[in-house]
Amino acid sequence: MDHDVQDLQKVRSFEHPGAGRKRAKATPKGRQVDPTAAHEIELLLGDRPRRRDLLIEHLHLIQDKYHQISAAHLAALADEMKLSFAEVFETATFYAHFDVVKEGEPDIAPLTIRVCDSLTCAMMGAEKLLHELQDSAGPGVRVVRAPCVGRCDTAPAAEVGHHFVDHATVTNVLAAVKGGETHAHLPKYVDYDAYVAGGGYKLLSSLRSGAMTKEDLLKSLDDASLRGLGGAGFPTGRKWRAVLGEPGPRLMAINGDEGEPGTFKDRFYLETDPHRFIEGMLIGAHVVEATDVYIYLRDEYPASREILEREIAKLPPGGPVLHMRRGAGAYICGEESSLLESIEGKRGLPRHKPPYPFQVGLFGLPTLINNIETLWWVRDIVEKGADWWKSHGRNDRHGLRSYSVSGRVKNPGMKLAPAGVTVRELIDEFCGGMADGHTFHAYLPGGASGGILPASMDNIPLDFGTLEKYGCFIGSAAIVILSEQDSVKGAALNLMKFFEDESCGQCTPCRVGTQKAAILMERPVWNRELLDQLSQAMRDASICGLGQAASNPLTSVIKYFPEEFVPKEAAE
């Protein structure tokens, strides 16, 4: 044997005393798929397609079946869908409603109670309810806090499984648990037969047959000045024309991710007259020649989802292919580009613009995106005429608005009122006045991100373009009423913590800004100069509207509530 080789073997033997022994059997590198988990995933998915855009839908199947998502099931799902484990894991852990259990962690309790802790529910005692339920729920039940669930008019709200308990108390929540009430209750609504009997779908038929032209329909929307009612307020007719002007094929996406604290109007319309929305949606799809429509509905609306699934199944054949998509607890997916990412089965991270969704949208195709309420009004405006729509309104404003009113009023709820109504008129004429024992002190004119104004500014018309000069905006018309018993600084902190939780984390100004702002706002004395600088940085540098508008309540309190910063001793 060559001496050099002998010397090399000696060195190896010296360095590795066990080198001469039998080597252990090599094990495959990377995460291995458990055969039992693989079989369970295969059965669960059945004959469903394994497309990438269905990842979130498949994660829901696992969550619904097992009340959690284990690492073994994640690995098996990744293998079944031919995706990397990292892709599946990062998507599952992005959404709040997916309970991912990592290796070595204990299983999650089979039943979860979620207690809403957003502003209106917090005002109505959600924090106390949360702690009492955590102390008394018992084994097999997990109690966690949750962001706004869209039931602000019946605050505080709790969710047992997928069953909501309105005006929640420890007694009625635990009664729901004991009674096994974990599924959504369907309210009475106008079904397909009743809708058709009332003249429904005649407008759609007229459009499809050519009796009404697309241009005539678009002119009706233009003449009525119908604007997007999800918050942005973009002219509807203009948006439809822009999409139609792009080369096909084209798609349509419905933004039903109504997550703005204080907002519940879309749920009201879906749970009372869903076909009016469906017809408006099909009209929009026909106008822009969309081949497929994706209806993205927040996971907190299980009753609305079941109603839509039932009623869509009753539609006659023809028209675009309709796809239901289920959100998974991410407020950011109400931002239009984040919504598109989520429909594609990804994390809901906002896209940089341009290009805009009407140019490059879902799956890279021109996409029409509309809010549920916007489409709900299409039939009425076209059939009754633009003059009918514009005949409504106050204070030199035109049209109707769906105001979601909650807080310290006698009769909260969805109030259909003239556009431009003032908050004082809304309280007195539509809500029965203030709740007993409460005096009007402040209000949110546009949900969590729309700012906070004092009661002394109660004569501003509530509509697009009327609030911006005060540093506020109408948004989705979520009106939350505070009384003298509520802390305005506390309300602003509640909203900032909401934004901190819901930030997608993609950009530093929003991710770090909301966190730093919440820390500063928790201090007894606010550093107003530092908070102002932080707010400006968030507005200037955040990628999307969440970070850009998150500081509105904070800056409103500093500007309009100077008494909040006067030491109690000096005030006395």
Side-chain angles (χ1 to χ4, degrees):
M1 182 180 291
D2 187 280
H3 290 293
D4 290 337
V5 174
Q6 287 179 326
D7 290 342
L8 181 60
Q9 286 179 337
K10 287 178 182 178
V11 170
R12 284 175 174 166
S13 177
F14 177 77
E15 291 179 343
H16 305 284
R21 301 173 193 165
K22 187 177 180 180
R23 290 179 178 274
K25 188 176 179 180
T27 57
K29 303 298 181 185
R31 186 177 299 276
Q32 300 306 298
V33 177
D34 177 73
T36 301
H39 180 64
E40 290 170 343
I41 292 299
E42 186 179 359
L43 288 177
L44 195 59
L45 266 57
D47 58 359
R48 294 177 175 86
R50 270 60 169 173
R51 297 194 316 270
R52 176 67 174 82
D53 64 288
L54 292 172
L55 173 57
I56 293 173
E57 294 297 301
H58 295 343
L59 288 169
H60 274 301
L61 292 174
I62 301 172
Q63 178 74 39
D64 290 345
K65 172 74 173 178
Y66 297 101
H67 311 293
Q68 63 180 32
I69 302 177
S70 67
H73 281 146
L74 279 180
L77 180 63
D79 185 66
E80 186 71 18
M81 296 186 70
K82 303 296 186 287
L83 299 172
S84 70
F85 181 83
E87 283 181 280
V88 176
F89 180 82
E90 72 176 11
T91 301
T93 53
F94 180 85
Y95 295 93
H97 288 189
F98 293 142
D99 297 317
V100 178
V101 180
K102 299 173 185 175
E103 289 180 352
E105 291 183 346
D107 286 347
I108 291 171
L111 180 63
T112 294
I113 298 173
R114 300 180 190 274
V115 179
C116 175
D117 69 347
S118 288
L119 182 55
T120 307
C121 284
M123 289 163 58
M124 302 300 175
E127 190 72 24
K128 181 171 181 285
L129 174 65
L130 174 71
H131 294 312
E132 289 178 347
L133 284 171
Q134 287 173 334
D135 291 339
S136 57
V141 180
R142 179 181 64 146
V143 182
V144 297
R145 62 179 67 246
C148 187
V149 296
R151 308 186 84 84
C152 318
D153 52 332
T154 56
E159 185 182 14
V160 179
H162 288 299
H163 167 67
F164 281 97
V165 180
D166 295 326
H167 303 294
T169 64
V170 173
T171 301
N172 59 19
V173 170
L174 294 184
V177 173
K178 186 176 180 180
E181 295 185 76
T182 58
H183 298 287
H185 290 179
L186 299 192
K188 290 183 179 180
Y189 62 89
V190 179
D191 65 8
Y192 177 78
D193 291 336
Y195 184 73
V196 171
Y201 292 111
K202 285 184 179 178
L203 177 59
L204 177 64
S205 297
S206 176
L207 192 63
R208 285 177 172 174
S209 69
M212 170 175 278
T213 67
K214 292 180 182 179
E215 187 53 42
D216 286 342
L217 186 134
L218 286 168
K219 187 176 185 306
S220 294
L221 300 183
D222 291 339
D223 291 346
S225 300
L226 178 65
R227 300 174 67 166
L229 299 173
F234 193 84
T236 303
R238 240 171 81 193
K239 178 184 279 193
W240 290 18
R241 291 178 195 276
V243 176
L244 188 57
E246 295 293 316
R250 307 177 195 90
L251 300 174
M252 184 176 186
I254 307 302
N255 190 342
D257 196 66
E258 186 177 51
E260 182 79 7
T263 314
F264 45 87
K265 62 183 179 61
D266 289 351
R267 176 177 63 83
F268 173 84
Y269 286 122
L270 289 178
E271 293 183 358
T272 53
D273 197 356
H275 282 280
R276 199 168 293 267
F277 150 69
I278 295 171
E279 183 172 12
M281 172 184 70
L282 294 176
I283 288 170
H286 179 85
V287 169
V288 303
E289 300 169 11
T291 59
D292 295 72
V293 179
Y294 291 79
I295 306 169
Y296 189 92
L297 193 63
R298 68 184 310 213
D299 197 32
E300 291 87 347
Y301 288 176
S304 299
R305 184 173 64 251
E306 187 171 341
I307 288 170
L308 283 178
E309 288 172 347
R310 286 186 180 189
E311 297 306 309
I312 286 173
K314 298 175 183 178
L315 295 174
V321 180
L322 304 182
H323 309 265
M324 288 291 296
R325 286 290 187 271
R326 181 177 169 187
Y331 166 75
I332 189 62
C333 290
E335 193 276 334
E336 61 178 8
S337 65
S338 300
L339 175 139
L340 298 180
E341 290 287 298
S342 191
I343 292 175
E344 292 179 3
K346 307 170 190 172
R347 293 175 295 166
L349 301 181
R351 299 175 180 176
H352 291 275
K353 302 171 187 176
Y356 295 95
F358 80 89
Q359 300 165 314
V360 181
L362 196 55
F363 308 117
L365 299 176
T367 304
L368 172 63
I369 305 175
N370 276 133
N371 166 260
I372 285 169
E373 190 202 350
T374 309
L375 298 169
W376 198 91
W377 284 113
V378 168
R379 176 189 164 192
D380 274 348
I381 287 173
V382 177
E383 288 185 346
K384 297 179 181 179
D387 289 342
W388 164 81
W389 177 258
K390 296 175 79 170
S391 69
H392 300 282
R394 291 188 188 178
N395 302 306
D396 297 321
R397 314 304 296 180
H398 302 288
L400 292 165
R401 290 305 302 264
S402 305
Y403 298 96
S404 303
V405 186
S406 65
R408 306 297 189 179
V409 293
K410 267 184 188 169
N411 303 311
M414 204 293 289
K415 309 297 180 180
L416 184 60
V421 69
T422 67
V423 70
R424 178 62 69 182
E425 292 168 337
L426 201 57
I427 292 170
D428 294 342
E429 297 178 35
F430 295 88
C431 300
M434 292 293 293
D436 292 340
H438 291 270
T439 302
F440 184 31
H441 178 56
Y443 67 106
L444 279 64
S449 52
I452 306 176
L453 292 173
S456 59
M457 299 174 67
D458 62 355
N459 60 346
I460 303 170
L462 298 175
D463 197 15
F464 294 116
T466 60
L467 293 152
E468 282 75 2
K469 63 183 177 182
Y470 304 107
C472 301
F473 56 80
I474 187 70
S476 58
I479 317 296
V480 183
I481 308 298
L482 282 66
S483 78
E484 82 293 344
Q485 297 183 28
D486 302 305
S487 165
V488 179
K489 288 175 70 176
L493 175 60
N494 177 283
L495 299 172
M496 187 59 73
K497 285 185 173 180
F498 169 81
F499 290 126
E500 179 189 0
D501 288 341
E502 295 299 326
S503 172
C504 75
Q506 181 178 194
C507 69
T508 303
C510 177
R511 181 185 68 251
V512 178
T514 52
Q515 180 186 47
K516 180 66 174 177
I519 292 171
L520 292 171
M521 293 166 72
E522 284 182 319
R523 294 178 180 175
V525 179
W526 284 10
N527 185 332
R528 284 178 279 175
E529 183 179 356
L530 183 56
L531 284 168
D532 275 334
Q533 293 174 358
L534 184 60
S535 299
Q536 190 65 49
M538 291 165 63
R539 283 194 295 271
D540 291 344
S542 295
I543 289 174
C544 80
L546 191 156
Q548 293 163 12
S551 63
N552 285 345
L554 158 64
T555 54
S556 295
V557 171
I558 293 174
K559 183 176 183 179
Y560 296 115
F561 297 88
E563 69 277 6
E564 293 281 342
F565 301 97
V566 177
K568 288 184 178 179
E569 311 82 58
E572 292 170 357

